[in-house]
Amino acid sequence: MQELTSTELIQYLQEKESVALFVYTPMCGTCKLAARMLGIMQETLPTVPLYQININMAPALAEQWQVTSVPALLIFHKNELLERHYAIQSVGFLYEVLKPLA
């Protein structure tokens, strides 16, 4: 997954039709597990625009999007936040969430 800065992320959200954003912190064990599952999804659905951001580096965006915990998976369509998932339950769950973006 490509790591984005806040500036890059804002640009991608304006340019791309859809974006899936994985929000994490480096010290979060659950985030590491979710990142591994998302890695499997990248191999399974390589056309999904999937990016990640360290929320510690983007506190203003966390506040704007009302991110209350990590890990979080945010789904954007045409620069609008449509979905917010905090329980990254399984690879199967991620497949169902990300498949429409492929």
Side-chain angles (χ1 to χ4, degrees):
M1 254 178 306
Q2 183 181 347
E3 179 86 22
L4 298 178
T5 65
S6 295
T7 306
E8 290 170 327
L9 175 57
I10 290 165
Q11 180 182 348
Y12 278 42
L13 290 174
Q14 292 170 351
E15 292 174 356
K16 299 186 180 290
E17 179 88 3
S18 297
V19 169
L21 180 68
F22 175 58
V23 181
Y24 74 99
T25 61
M27 300 303 291
C28 166
T30 310
C31 297
K32 291 176 181 161
L33 178 61
R36 278 184 258 160
M37 288 191 281
L38 286 164
I40 293 167
M41 283 299 88
Q42 271 199 305
E43 292 177 22
T44 307
L45 301 168
T47 60
V48 170
L50 180 58
Y51 304 98
Q52 66 181 15
I53 194 164
N54 177 348
I55 205 63
N56 294 330
M57 302 298 151
L61 293 178
E63 187 176 327
Q64 176 185 341
W65 296 327
Q66 301 173 342
V67 175
T68 57
S69 68
V70 291
L73 182 64
L74 308 180
I75 307 296
F76 295 87
H77 183 70
K78 295 187 177 174
N79 201 13
E80 180 183 344
L81 177 58
L82 294 184
E83 298 176 36
R84 194 182 288 112
H85 300 278
Y86 295 109
I88 313 297
Q89 303 158 3
S90 65
V91 171
F93 167 78
L94 289 172
Y95 184 83
E96 292 303 317
V97 170
L98 296 173
K99 178 124 177 68
L101 305 180

